Structure formats: structure tokens, C-alpha cells
Amino acid sequence: MVKQLVLHLGDRKTGSTAIQDALAAGHITSPTTQIFYPATTNHIPLAKTLSVKSLSPQRDMRFTKIAKRIARSDADIAVISAEHFEVVKPALLQEILTRYFPDLVGNIRLIAYVRPHAERLVSNYAEAVKLGQYDGDLHSYHTQRLDKKPLSYTDRFSRWRDVFGAAFTLRPFVRKTLVGGDIVQDFAQFLLGDTPHTVTASPPSNPSMSLQDLAMVRHLQSQIGAQPNMSKFQVSMGKSLGQLLASKQDSAQTPIKLAMHTELAKAVQIAYGEDARALDGAFFAPDTPMQDALQSSYERAVATPQSIAVTDHLSAAAIRMVDVWAGLLCSQSAANGALLRETLKNGPQAAGKSGKTGAAKQQAGKKGPNKRGGKKGKNTSPPEKEFTEDDLLDLF
């Protein structure tokens, strides 16, 4: 039977994918301690049952299932990992852990990593652009976040500590403070402490996109986003493009790193300075990693705003090819894999006919009244729900 349960809570954009990949692949090993990771990727669907109302009916099924798997394991430590725990209420999670893991109460530890404000802002912006959910520049994104959902760490992490006490650990996602300068090694150290262990190196997970690639993806996404009901397709395509671009680096071009300019860096310092001081005082004193990171971001800022216009990064020929692919992807308003394959196989006109006789029929149903009382042959399904800011944050 498992002796200890460890929950990795994220945050988003703190190397969670790297930790999850290492756990799933068995890259963290010990000759004396066995680790059980009951997932092939992550536990985000499990965590979402605690924060997404429409998924709460799945809560009992999912937690019962994972609790049974952990109860059957002979490992020393079981790990649950999902960056989506970032938005879960700590008191609710405590209630759930007590209910489904009663034998492990008192032997549960939780860890979260926090990315400095400026770095998280830049990373969130790049992700929003990649997924087609934001089309403006970095400065305007900062302004929007301040108005809608500013980065506020201290209150949130204080609530975790209020509920879980010493069982909760917060670590700064700052390279020089991580064990070996690596997030996986740092997590392994938290997991196993002084117990001898080995971490096998693995390829980078979810690497950052260069400014050139981001400009190209933004241009592509802006054209696709101009069509109706494309949000879900944009997200799926953006995630796939990010992985493909990372694996196919342009050796003929020096990648430019996305960075804040001096004026923006100063504005971010002012906006988040108090939260950085409070978080350092509450969790990291006498060290000041969050304040140091804000100062460092200002010192590393570029003199003038970076352009994200595709014409400043791609040749006219390259832009033409992006436009051609955008047209291909938009050849059907309800773009999906089947229609895209049909387009590539028989051309846009054939795909259009296929959309009328195939995909459209699937949406409209067979001839005759539908179960909801709709008219004959008419698609009465509601339009696709657009992604909101909260939906987007779920993908970070």
C-alpha cells in the first residue's frame, strides 16, 4: 500500500509538462523508493472536476477510480500532477482528499511552483497568441490583464498554506534556485529528499516560441479567426504548430526571444512590485527571488518594443505560403480533420460538397423531425461557445 501521496499543483508555465513527462516515462527513479504515477500524461481532467461546474458530476467517478488504483499499488509514493489545481479552492481539495484517501491523511504533501510576474506575463501572452486567442501586442496584453485578471500570487498561495499548513510547499520557478537549475531535478529532490535517486534527462517540453515563429502563427491565426466558429480549431492547431515548430528549428535563422521593452518592464515593476514583496516576505524570506526577478526583467528589457508584424520577420514568398495555407484551412467554416483531409485530397470545391453531404448531415441528423423537435433536416444545435479569458487560462 502507498505510504505517501504527493500532489503537484502547477502553476501553469512552470515546467509542469516536463515534470509530468518525466513521471510518466519513469525518468525519476530510486533504488530504495518506488514511485507510482497513475497517468500517461497528467491529471487535469481530475482537477477540473473541482473547478469546472459542468464537470463536477464526474468528480466521484474520477476520484474513486484513482483512489482505488493508488490503494492497490505497492509503491512507496504516489503522485498526482495537474497545473489546473491552480484554480481549485484549497478547502475543497482538502475535503476531497479526506474523503477519498482517508488512510493517507497525515501523509499527504503538496507542492506548487510560482513563476515571477514578468516572465509569466510574457509566457501567457505568447500562449494566447499561439492559440489564436489574442491578436494585440505585449503591452496591450499587459494592460488588459491588469483590467481583467492581474497576476496576484500572495493571497492565493496564502490560502493554500492556511488550509494545508506545513504540508504545502511553494518554490520559486527561478533557474538559479532550482536544484541543478532544472525543474525535474528540483521536483525529484522534493519528492525523495535525501533518498538516493536518479533523474534521466529528457527533451525539453513545451519550449518557448521564437518571435519570428510567433509572428507567423499570429498572422495565420488572425485569418482563421476571422471565420465563424473557429476557436476550438485555433486552439488545437496552435498547440500542434507549437510542437512542430519546436521540433523543426530554422538553422538558417537566429531565433529572437520574445522580450519586454524598457517602458513596459517598468510598468510591470510598478504593477506587481507590491505582490512580489509580499510573496517574498510570506514564503521566501530572507531571500527575495520575486523582487529580484522583477528587477532582472527590467535590466534585460530591450530598448524599443518588438514588432510582431509578420512583414518584419518573413519574406513576401513565405507570407504568401502562410496565406495559402490559411485559405486551405478556412475552406470550410467548420474546419476539422476530416474536411481538411478531403480538401487536400479533392480540392476546396469537393470539400464543400462533402461538407454539405457529409459533415453537415452529421450535425443536422437524418431526415425527419429530430429528437429536440427541430424542423426537418435543419441543424438546430447552438453555435459554438467562444473561449473566454478563464477558458484560455485553463490551457496555460
Side-chain angles (χ1 to χ4, degrees):
M1 180 180 174
V2 168
K3 303 177 182 67
Q4 185 179 110
L5 176 62
V6 170
L7 277 84
H8 169 233
L9 310 173
D11 269 1
R12 300 175 177 98
K13 310 312 293 181
T14 61
S16 295
T17 302
I19 291 173
Q20 292 154 1
D21 287 350
L23 288 166
H27 287 171
I28 302 174
T29 58
S30 169
T32 61
T33 304
Q34 186 179 355
I35 301 165
F36 178 49
Y37 185 62
T40 55
T41 53
N42 56 58
H43 296 100
I44 289 177
L46 181 79
K48 281 191 171 184
T49 67
L50 303 178
S51 61
V52 180
K53 187 176 181 180
S54 62
L55 298 179
S56 60
Q58 301 178 21
R59 184 181 303 167
D60 182 68
M61 177 272 291
R62 289 191 179 276
F63 274 96
T64 297
K65 183 177 179 180
I66 197 169
K68 286 181 177 179
R69 291 189 65 190
I70 290 174
R72 289 195 297 264
S73 173
D74 293 326
D76 299 286
I77 303 174
V79 181
I80 294 174
S81 174
E83 54 270 39
H84 193 79
F85 280 119
E86 176 181 331
V87 295
V88 170
K89 294 180 180 179
L92 175 58
L93 181 59
Q94 183 189 50
E95 176 188 331
I96 291 296
L97 294 175
T98 302
R99 181 188 310 169
Y100 291 95
F101 302 96
D103 295 336
L104 290 172
V105 171
N107 291 299
I108 296 175
R109 294 188 295 146
L110 306 91
I111 184 169
Y113 290 88
V114 56
R115 189 165 192 165
H117 300 79
E119 296 173 18
R120 174 75 186 258
L121 181 74
V122 172
S123 185
N124 281 5
Y125 168 72
E127 193 79 357
V129 171
K130 181 180 77 175
L131 301 179
Q133 303 302 303
Y134 193 78
D135 193 51
D137 61 23
L138 181 54
H139 204 145
S140 63
Y141 181 77
H142 161 64
T143 302
Q144 183 190 80
R145 285 302 303 263
L146 280 182
D147 291 339
K148 291 186 176 181
K149 198 167 187 176
L151 297 171
S152 181
Y153 292 140
T154 308
D155 289 345
R156 175 161 62 89
F157 289 120
S158 293
R159 286 193 292 273
W160 282 100
R161 186 168 59 184
D162 290 343
V163 172
F164 289 99
F168 172 71
T169 296
L170 181 66
R171 296 273 292 143
F173 185 66
V174 176
R175 184 176 295 276
K176 66 179 181 181
T177 70
L178 300 174
V179 174
D182 177 75
I183 186 64
V184 178
Q185 292 187 45
D186 195 89
F187 178 77
Q189 180 68 39
F190 171 81
L191 193 65
L192 297 164
D194 295 332
T195 302
H197 60 272
T198 301
V199 177
T200 304
S202 56
S205 302
N206 197 21
S208 300
M209 193 178 290
S210 70
L211 181 63
Q212 298 99 317
D213 284 347
L214 195 64
M216 182 272 291
V217 171
R218 173 178 175 263
H219 181 66
L220 177 62
Q221 289 281 27
S222 68
Q223 296 182 72
I224 295 173
Q227 304 299 317
N229 301 326
M230 285 292 199
S231 289
K232 290 182 180 179
F233 178 71
Q234 285 182 278
V235 169
S236 177
M237 185 191 71
K239 293 170 77 172
S240 297
L241 272 176
Q243 295 171 350
L244 289 169
L245 288 168
S247 65
K248 303 291 183 182
Q249 295 291 335
D250 186 355
S251 59
Q253 186 181 54
T254 301
I256 301 172
K257 186 176 181 180
L258 179 65
M260 295 187 298
H261 60 276
T262 305
E263 180 184 348
L264 174 57
K266 174 54 75 174
V268 171
Q269 268 192 321
I270 294 171
Y272 296 111
E274 181 54 40
D275 190 52
R277 285 188 291 273
L279 191 66
D280 282 338
F283 288 92
F284 306 130
D287 296 329
T288 56
M290 306 305 284
Q291 295 173 78
D292 295 346
L294 269 181
Q295 179 60 32
S296 177
S297 67
Y298 177 75
E299 294 168 355
R300 290 183 284 106
V302 296
T304 57
Q306 293 175 323
S307 170
I308 199 171
V310 70
T311 51
D312 290 330
H313 299 284
L314 269 66
S315 67
I319 294 173
R320 175 177 176 270
M321 291 310 301
V322 174
D323 292 341
V324 168
W325 277 99
L328 179 63
L329 293 169
C330 294
S331 60
Q332 284 289 328
S333 60
N336 58 41
L339 288 174
L340 176 57
R341 286 193 295 273
E342 191 70 23
T343 301
L344 293 172
K345 179 181 176 183
N346 298 319
Q349 291 183 341
K353 293 177 182 178
S354 174
K356 293 177 182 178
T357 60
K361 274 188 178 180
Q362 292 177 11
Q363 293 181 4
K366 295 181 179 181
K367 290 185 178 181
N370 60 39
K371 292 183 179 180
R372 296 184 180 180
K375 293 184 179 180
K376 182 178 180 179
K378 185 177 181 180
N379 179 14
T380 57
S381 60
E384 177 187 336
K385 177 181 177 293
E386 291 298 314
F387 272 57
T388 65
E389 180 76 6
D390 287 338
D391 293 326
L392 179 60
L393 288 173
D394 289 349
L395 298 166
F396 288 163

